Amino acid sequence: MRVHSINLHTQNKFIKDYRDKNDKIMQHFDYNPFESDVFQKRFEDLKHKNINRNQLADVLHTINEKWNAPESTIENIERLRATNSLVVIAGQQAGLLTGPMYTINKAISVIHLARQQEERLQVPVIPVFWIAGEDHDFDEINHIFLSDTSKMKKYTLLQREIEKKAVSNIAIDDVQANKWLDKLFVELNETLYTKELYDTLKTFLNESETYVDFFAKLIYWLFNDEGLVLVDSNHSQLRHIESSYFENLIDNQSKTTHAINCSYEEIIKQGYSLSIDVGARDANLFYQNGSERVLLVRDDHDNWVGKNNEVNFSTEEILSIARNKPELLSNNVMTRPLMQEMLFPSLAFIGGPGEISYWSVLKKAFHANNMKMPPVVPRLSFTFMERHVEKLLNKYHIDSEHAINKGVLDVKNKWLEDKYSPPVNQLTNQLKKTIDEAHQPLRELAGSIQSDLGDLANKNLDYLYREVDFLEKRIVKTIEEKYALEINEFNLLQLTLHPNDGLQERVWNPLTWMNKHGRHFIKQLSDQNCSYEQEHFLVYL
């Protein structure tokens, strides 16, 4: 496995400035994650933080034993009891077969940084992956993409969920899930690894009650020696640890919401665009109303009400729920980072570009709850390059950085144009111009005789244009048929390196590579020494 760094040219302005350590951005964070001594500073700041480590470790044992977590994970949960232990944490929804590749990249990132900082700080540093089990948008996780001849094809699991249930409460439809998995393997070429992969996934699927269970079992199969600790954020026992933390969030709600809104306005005024919704009445909590999660807001009387008036609570009532039935409450995107910080001694949070953007509005919210925001480290970002793809790049003299950033359609079009000269579209445009000039006197004469005759002349011109367009399409089709092999090779490069006009990691699922190369390429990558200051890495399989 070879790995080397490349630059990304399509990062938004916010992330670019964050990586460039721009003071305008860094003022919205408590730590600069790129400073050489940042983790030592953070370690010192955490020495007096009160964490209920033993209770947390007990709950993590319960959660992880259900998933048959590997021994390395159980050992790390025990290490969390040490008073000087720390965690590096990241999180994601429980996507099918892990979801897009960036989920794996996050797991690799926390494992790598935890290992690195344990060696430097000489204290236990534990990699933690926060499964957002309370998220209720099943449509975001119920599919994966596989490459087809000329596009990425979406494979959706046909299980219908009408209610807004938390994903960790959605029972697997065994019939539909097995049909879906079987359909995927029909699309894969059989290799030395296919049978083991299929049997393993079938076993995990049929042993799992929920999609969070399925996700966790697969993650532990992929990372069985790295000591990664998973946590289901929707687990009822975790909610009971969070009880007093929910009380704090409720008591500080107005200050928290005000802090978020002020920070949001400041960043927007600085010229940055953030894709988050904030409002003065946001309560930043959900309530479990029967089987559905209901987003809470504050009304004119400062009551806690459902966004669509589903429920209505006074502050005392919502505090009573936090104390006695905390499993009925859950965090939204703004308070989830605060809850993570209350639960864990976090040395660092690792996030993707979108997460770093919305964390930028949270510094004052952390302060409103008497905490400092942990260092926010950009996750590692990878594109995988197989040998046959590398050979095609060399065949057409395409730079890999160009292919990853911009795709290869421009090279493909130029290559085709070079196969016929002058280009067909240039000839058809010239012909249309000649027809228009020759046809002009006829249109003028027809219009001068009678208006509807002038309309007929215009339609006649359109008819002539359509005939030219038809001929152009036939010529292009014939050329494409002649060079079908080469066009398919360009399409393969586009789908592999710049699918859906974006990064590979946002579309591709690891299933294809696990089938071709086995699961061990993921472990190999987690053992690589990658710098978090680099924007992106190209990995040669």
Side-chain angles (χ1 to χ4, degrees):
M1 176 179 284
R2 293 180 290 130
V3 180
H4 74 79
S5 64
I6 66 170
N7 294 319
L8 292 180
H9 308 153
T10 55
Q11 291 189 109
N12 66 43
K13 185 174 186 295
F14 184 96
I15 296 302
K16 186 177 185 306
D17 285 354
Y18 187 75
R19 285 192 169 280
D20 290 342
K21 314 170 192 66
N22 189 309
D23 290 340
K24 196 164 61 170
I25 288 296
M26 287 302 167
Q27 65 176 306
H28 298 289
F29 297 84
D30 278 319
Y31 301 91
N32 180 340
F34 306 109
E35 289 181 349
S36 59
D37 61 346
V38 61
F39 298 114
Q40 183 65 48
K41 288 179 182 177
R42 177 64 176 171
F43 177 39
E44 295 298 326
D45 289 342
L46 287 174
K47 282 185 175 178
H48 304 293
K49 183 179 180 181
N50 185 25
I51 296 288
N52 195 341
R53 296 169 187 273
N54 286 324
Q55 189 179 5
L56 179 59
D58 290 342
V59 171
L60 289 174
H61 267 295
T62 300
I63 293 173
N64 282 273
E65 284 168 1
K66 178 186 177 184
W67 298 325
N68 297 320
E71 188 60 34
S72 61
T73 294
I74 302 304
E75 290 173 359
N76 262 348
I77 292 173
E78 282 303 303
R79 294 170 77 223
L80 186 57
R81 298 183 192 274
T83 56
N84 62 347
S85 66
L86 306 165
V87 306
V88 173
I89 192 165
Q92 190 61 39
Q93 295 164 296
L96 290 180
L97 303 184
T98 77
M101 194 67 198
Y102 61 68
T103 302
I104 296 295
N105 297 349
K106 282 184 178 180
I108 290 172
S109 299
V110 294
I111 290 166
H112 179 267
L113 187 60
R115 184 189 299 141
Q116 177 194 87
Q117 292 307 314
E118 177 162 324
E119 184 177 334
R120 291 180 182 176
L121 298 174
Q122 293 298 298
V123 296
V125 183
I126 296 142
V128 174
F129 194 96
W130 175 284
I131 306 173
E134 78 274 13
D135 282 3
H136 58 255
D137 195 341
F138 187 59
D139 289 344
E140 286 191 2
I141 67 161
N142 69 351
H143 60 275
I144 70 167
F145 288 91
L146 295 178
S147 63
D148 203 357
T149 305
S150 59
K151 64 180 180 179
M152 297 301 294
K153 187 175 178 180
K154 187 177 183 179
Y155 292 82
T156 301
L157 192 156
L158 299 178
Q159 175 172 338
R160 195 173 178 199
E161 293 296 325
I162 300 173
E163 296 177 314
K164 293 182 178 179
K165 290 182 183 178
V167 171
S168 65
N169 294 334
I170 296 177
I172 292 175
D173 182 326
D174 291 328
V175 173
Q176 291 296 339
N178 277 280
K179 281 183 179 179
W180 175 81
L181 190 62
D182 290 344
K183 187 175 182 180
L184 294 181
F185 274 83
V186 169
E187 300 299 319
L188 299 177
N189 294 322
E190 185 153 359
T191 71
L192 293 173
Y193 305 101
T194 304
K195 186 179 186 307
E196 181 198 5
L197 180 61
Y198 176 76
D199 291 344
T200 300
L201 294 178
K202 273 283 188 178
T203 299
F204 290 159
L205 184 61
N206 294 321
E207 288 177 348
S208 300
E209 296 175 13
T210 71
Y211 291 102
V212 167
D213 296 337
F214 185 38
F215 175 90
K217 287 174 180 290
L218 177 53
I219 289 291
Y220 278 143
W221 184 62
L222 296 174
F223 299 100
N224 60 329
D225 294 326
E226 286 76 12
L228 183 65
V229 176
L230 300 182
V231 54
D232 175 5
S233 63
N234 198 50
H235 198 279
S236 59
Q237 290 190 31
L238 191 70
R239 285 284 183 266
H240 285 277
I241 298 181
E242 295 173 345
S243 175
S244 61
Y245 304 148
F246 276 123
E247 289 187 69
N248 291 339
L249 289 173
I250 292 165
D251 287 336
N252 293 324
Q253 179 273 325
S254 59
K255 291 191 294 183
T256 300
T257 299
H258 178 71
I260 291 169
N261 285 317
C262 287
S263 296
Y264 177 81
E265 290 174 6
E266 289 173 8
I267 293 171
I268 294 300
K269 285 179 181 176
Q270 289 177 326
Y272 297 102
S273 175
L274 300 179
S275 56
I276 55 175
D277 294 321
V278 298
R281 296 189 180 279
D282 292 347
N284 296 308
L285 291 176
F286 282 92
Y287 174 76
Q288 192 70 34
N289 186 36
S291 59
E292 291 202 1
R293 289 176 85 218
V294 173
L295 183 63
L296 298 176
V297 295
R298 305 297 297 274
D299 68 9
D300 293 337
H301 306 289
D302 275 344
N303 288 328
W304 302 65
V305 302
K307 195 171 183 179
N308 297 312
N309 295 312
E310 301 94 333
V311 294
N312 190 314
F313 302 108
S314 67
T315 297
E316 280 307 311
E317 287 173 326
I318 204 75
L319 281 169
S320 176
I321 291 169
R323 282 190 289 268
N324 302 308
K325 294 184 176 180
E327 66 274 10
L328 296 179
L329 297 178
S330 56
N331 298 289
N332 78 337
V333 69
M334 292 290 110
T335 51
R336 185 184 298 164
L338 303 178
M339 184 62 79
Q340 279 182 190
E341 185 59 24
M342 293 170 178
L343 281 167
F344 289 95
S346 52
L347 180 67
F349 169 75
I350 291 182
E355 290 167 307
I356 295 173
S357 294
Y358 77 72
W359 272 63
S360 69
V361 305
L362 293 178
K363 176 181 174 180
K364 293 177 182 178
F366 273 90
H367 295 179
N369 289 274
N370 301 310
M371 298 182 292
K372 289 180 76 172
M373 183 193 295
V376 179
V377 180
R379 65 167 170 78
L380 298 173
S381 179
F382 303 105
T383 288
F384 292 92
M385 175 88 74
E386 294 178 285
R387 290 181 182 177
H388 68 285
V389 175
E390 183 181 7
K391 287 179 180 177
L392 289 179
L393 287 179
N394 292 333
K395 175 180 177 179
Y396 295 107
H397 308 290
I398 302 172
D399 177 67
S400 58
E401 189 166 315
H402 175 92
I404 290 168
N405 279 284
K406 296 184 179 181
V408 301
L409 295 183
D410 56 339
V411 183
K412 170 187 169 182
N413 293 334
K414 178 67 168 59
W415 187 89
L416 280 172
E417 286 176 2
D418 289 344
K419 298 305 167 188
Y420 47 89
S421 183
V424 176
N425 67 327
Q426 182 180 323
L427 289 175
T428 54
N429 288 335
Q430 288 175 354
L431 179 55
K432 285 181 179 180
K433 184 178 179 182
T434 301
I435 291 172
D436 178 68
E437 292 172 352
H439 199 271
Q440 179 69 23
L442 191 60
R443 296 200 304 278
E444 290 175 354
L445 176 61
S448 67
I449 296 172
Q450 196 168 299
S451 61
D452 59 345
L453 198 58
D455 293 338
L456 182 61
N458 287 325
K459 288 180 181 179
N460 178 252
L461 179 64
D462 290 337
Y463 172 79
L464 295 173
Y465 282 169
R466 286 198 300 273
E467 287 298 308
V468 173
D469 290 338
F470 174 77
L471 181 59
E472 178 186 12
K473 288 177 183 177
R474 289 299 300 269
I475 293 172
V476 169
K477 183 181 179 182
T478 302
I479 293 171
E480 289 178 347
E481 288 172 351
K482 182 178 180 181
Y483 297 107
L485 173 63
E486 291 83 357
I487 289 172
N488 286 337
E489 289 175 339
F490 279 113
N491 290 342
L492 173 63
L493 289 173
Q494 181 73 15
L495 287 180
T496 304
L497 302 177
H498 196 67
N500 296 355
D501 295 325
L503 290 176
Q504 181 192 84
E505 64 183 14
R506 303 202 65 82
V507 181
W508 279 65
N509 180 275
L511 179 65
T512 300
W513 295 305
M514 287 192 290
N515 182 57
K516 288 184 180 179
H517 307 284
R519 59 176 164 152
H520 304 292
F521 80 96
I522 292 176
K523 177 173 175 53
Q524 283 181 293
L525 187 56
S526 66
D527 290 336
Q528 293 288 323
N529 186 21
C530 299
S531 168
Y532 292 86
E533 293 202 37
Q534 299 297 327
E535 296 174 347
H536 196 74
F537 292 91
L538 185 52
V539 180
Y540 293 89
L541 294 177

